[in-house]
Amino acid sequence: MIKINLTKRIWLAFVSLIVLVVLSITIVYPLSIRGTLTEETYRLIENDVRQLLSGENDYFPFQPGFYQAREQRSTVSYSFRLSEAGVSYIDPRLVPPYEVNNEIVQNALEQKGQHGRYETTIDEQTLFYVITKISDSQFLVTYMWDTYRDEMVNRLWERLLYLLLLASALSLFPAIWLKHYLRQPLAVLENHLEQIANRNWQEPLRWEGDKDFERLSYQFERMRQNLNSYDRAQKTFIQHASHELKTPIMVIKSYSQSVKDGILPKENLEQTMDVITEEANRMERRVIDMLYYTKLDQMKKDQLNVGPFPFGKLAYQIEERFRYQRDDVTISVEGAEVIVEADIEQCEVLLENLVENGLRYAKHRLYIRAEQDERNCYLIVENEGEPIDADLTKLFNPFYKGNKGKFGLGLAIVKQIAELHRGSARVENIDDGVRFTITLPKTIKPKPIEPKRKERRKEAKADKKER
């Protein structure tokens, strides 16, 4: 396919349209106009016949001869009578040549009705004639050359040519206007796209005028804002990730150097190495969380393994897993019979993060509960303790930290998993603690995720094995 710019496309379309119109007229016009003028010629002949028969005209003596009529573009009438002696004419000078006259007489004899239309060719010109039957033996012949028709065709052709030239000249103005009309917004869009290609998406795009270009500019502006937000989020993520990894690395580095220098920061070597191991595990958990979180968007390319399962099947496993992390907190499971429609492995990661977060602040009890209504299923993790003194709307943001919280990605992962199931996550302070509620629709049209389930499970649970 030949690649040409917009201006050339407009002019090519304009020229093609003109050529198409000219070709259409060249082909269709001669056929239609000649047929129309031929009909008009017969109409003129028949009109003269009616006037002649009605007595309005009596111009037999004043008519030109057969060949002279061709130059004067007029009708000529003559009559002939058939008898046993042959054919007799009133004015022989009006009679066509012998071959043509024989054809006329033969057509008259074969004619059924009172009037008949005929045509013949003489010296590459057409002769139109009408035979009128006056009696069984007398006929009136009125003829006319094609001179009148051809002159009218040529005259109309000449006028049509002028009109085409004028229309082509006038059509240049809308073509030029269309070129500028399309080029201006496209040039603005091209400039902004060039800026985005250079990672400069700070300048907004606003176009007022044509509705189509307004919609295009609106979609472009949405893209620019999303890119800008993504860029800020990426930079923030890198900053927080660097901060999260910096502290354990510094601890490991300082303790390792102390051991190398023969200085034990703790009472003995074992305790010192325990600190290094704990910080290494902490750093490992952060890396696993970051890898899992960054993979969530890529997981939308494949399908979730959604299926029904009883809530208790998952909840009791998590309760057993976290039962001995805090002896002073009792974990209770409610709504074990509720059927949940979701990806069970994703829900396991979701509940683990919520329970781990709740145990960090619970005083005496923590509840893992499932509820349902006609449309949704609700997974609830509720703990007794102090309310959250922070902006609850930002709690699910990556690395967001409340007044007494910790930096992390656990709640951000919870939100991502809920949204993958077309659901939502929310948190609220209640009278005696904090409640996290995950809403999952019963009829799920899941977003696609990555099918590497064993790898995801291993990454999501690696930090749990260390606890």
Side-chain angles (χ1 to χ4, degrees), residues 255 264-272:
Y255 271 61
L264 299 180
K266 295 295 183 178
E267 295 180 359
N268 52 49
L269 180 61
E270 182 178 357
Q271 292 182 0
T272 302

Side-chain angles (χ1 to χ4, degrees), residues 78-128:
Y78 72 94
S79 64
F80 63 89
R81 185 183 298 275
L82 299 176
S83 64
E84 295 180 359
V87 182
S88 60
Y89 304 96
I90 297 177
D91 190 350
R93 69 186 183 84
L94 304 177
V95 179
Y98 178 77
E99 296 81 2
V100 179
N101 186 57
N102 286 342
E103 179 184 336
I104 293 174
V105 172
Q106 185 64 31
N107 288 333
L109 292 174
E110 296 175 355
Q111 183 172 297
K112 302 294 183 181
Q114 185 180 4
H115 301 282
R117 292 180 174 181
Y118 307 93
E119 66 177 69
T120 187
T121 302
I122 304 175
D123 297 334
E124 298 182 354
Q125 282 193 281
T126 303
L127 181 70
F128 304 101

Side-chain angles (χ1 to χ4, degrees), residues 132-151:
T132 304
K133 188 175 183 181
I134 300 175
S135 64
D136 290 340
S137 60
Q138 187 175 2
F139 298 88
L140 176 66
V141 179
T142 304
Y143 60 82
M144 186 177 186
W145 290 92
D146 61 356
T147 308
Y148 169 77
R149 184 193 68 175
D150 292 345
E151 285 186 355

Side-chain angles (χ1 to χ4, degrees), residues 265-312:
K266 295 295 183 178
E267 295 180 359
N268 52 49
L269 180 61
E270 182 178 357
Q271 292 182 0
T272 302
M273 296 306 296
D274 287 342
V275 172
I276 295 176
T277 302
E278 181 180 352
E279 292 299 324
N281 291 335
R282 176 188 172 190
M283 185 166 59
E284 182 185 17
R285 290 194 299 270
R286 293 293 181 264
V287 172
I288 291 174
D289 284 344
M290 284 187 286
L291 290 175
Y292 187 74
Y293 179 79
T294 54
K295 280 187 177 182
L296 284 176
D297 287 338
Q298 299 299 323
M299 291 177 185
K300 299 174 186 178
K301 295 179 180 179
D302 306 304
Q303 289 293 325
L304 285 170
N305 187 19
V306 176
F309 62 89
F311 176 70

Side-chain angles (χ1 to χ4, degrees), residues 34-262:
R34 282 185 175 274
T36 302
L37 291 178
T38 298
E39 181 67 24
E40 176 67 12
T41 302
Y42 280 118
R43 190 189 65 80
L44 291 174
I45 295 174
E46 291 172 347
N47 185 56
D48 286 348
V49 170
R50 284 194 298 270
Q51 291 180 1
L52 186 62
L53 294 177
S54 65
E56 297 179 12
N57 290 332
D58 185 14
Y59 51 82
F60 278 108
F62 307 105
Q63 296 183 104
F66 178 75
Y67 289 104
Q68 287 78 12
R70 178 167 54 185
E71 304 298 331
Q72 297 183 16
R73 302 179 297 279
S74 60
T75 60
V76 176
S77 298
Y78 72 94
S79 64
F80 63 89
R81 185 183 298 275
L82 299 176
S83 64
E84 295 180 359
V87 182
S88 60
Y89 304 96
I90 297 177
D91 190 350
R93 69 186 183 84
L94 304 177
V95 179
Y98 178 77
E99 296 81 2
V100 179
N101 186 57
N102 286 342
E103 179 184 336
I104 293 174
V105 172
Q106 185 64 31
N107 288 333
L109 292 174
E110 296 175 355
Q111 183 172 297
K112 302 294 183 181
Q114 185 180 4
H115 301 282
R117 292 180 174 181
Y118 307 93
E119 66 177 69
T120 187
T121 302
I122 304 175
D123 297 334
E124 298 182 354
Q125 282 193 281
T126 303
L127 181 70
F128 304 101
Y129 61 94
V130 174
I131 299 176
T132 304
K133 188 175 183 181
I134 300 175
S135 64
D136 290 340
S137 60
Q138 187 175 2
F139 298 88
L140 176 66
V141 179
T142 304
Y143 60 82
M144 186 177 186
W145 290 92
D146 61 356
T147 308
Y148 169 77
R149 184 193 68 175
D150 292 345
E151 285 186 355
M152 290 298 297
V153 170
N154 293 334
R155 188 178 302 173
L156 291 174
W157 263 113
E158 182 180 353
R159 293 182 179 179
L160 181 62
L161 179 60
Y162 290 146
L163 288 175
L164 285 175
L165 292 176
L166 180 60
S168 300
L170 293 177
S171 61
L172 291 175
F173 295 101
I176 294 173
W177 174 84
L178 180 62
K179 183 194 72 171
H180 290 287
Y181 171 77
L182 294 176
R183 279 296 303 166
Q184 185 177 2
L186 291 178
V188 174
L189 183 61
E190 180 184 6
N191 180 53
H192 280 77
L193 287 173
E194 182 68 23
Q195 294 182 16
I196 287 181
N198 295 326
R199 300 184 61 84
N200 177 19
W201 38 62
Q202 303 303 321
E203 184 179 352
L205 175 62
R206 296 285 188 274
W207 183 268
E208 296 181 0
D210 185 83
K211 296 297 182 181
D212 293 329
F213 284 118
E214 282 187 5
R215 287 194 296 269
L216 180 62
S217 66
Y218 172 74
Q219 297 297 333
F220 181 88
E221 179 62 16
R222 286 185 58 192
M223 178 191 71
R224 186 197 66 83
Q225 292 176 1
N226 289 335
L227 286 173
N228 201 11
S229 299
Y230 178 79
D231 184 61
R232 290 198 302 268
Q234 187 180 44
K235 292 178 180 178
T236 302
F237 183 86
I238 293 175
Q239 291 174 357
H240 287 302
S242 302
H243 179 272
E244 285 292 294
L245 297 177
K246 180 179 179 181
T247 301
I249 290 175
M250 289 179 60
V251 173
I252 293 174
K253 184 177 180 180
S254 61
Y255 271 61
S256 300
Q257 186 64 41
S258 299
V259 173
K260 183 179 179 181
D261 295 339

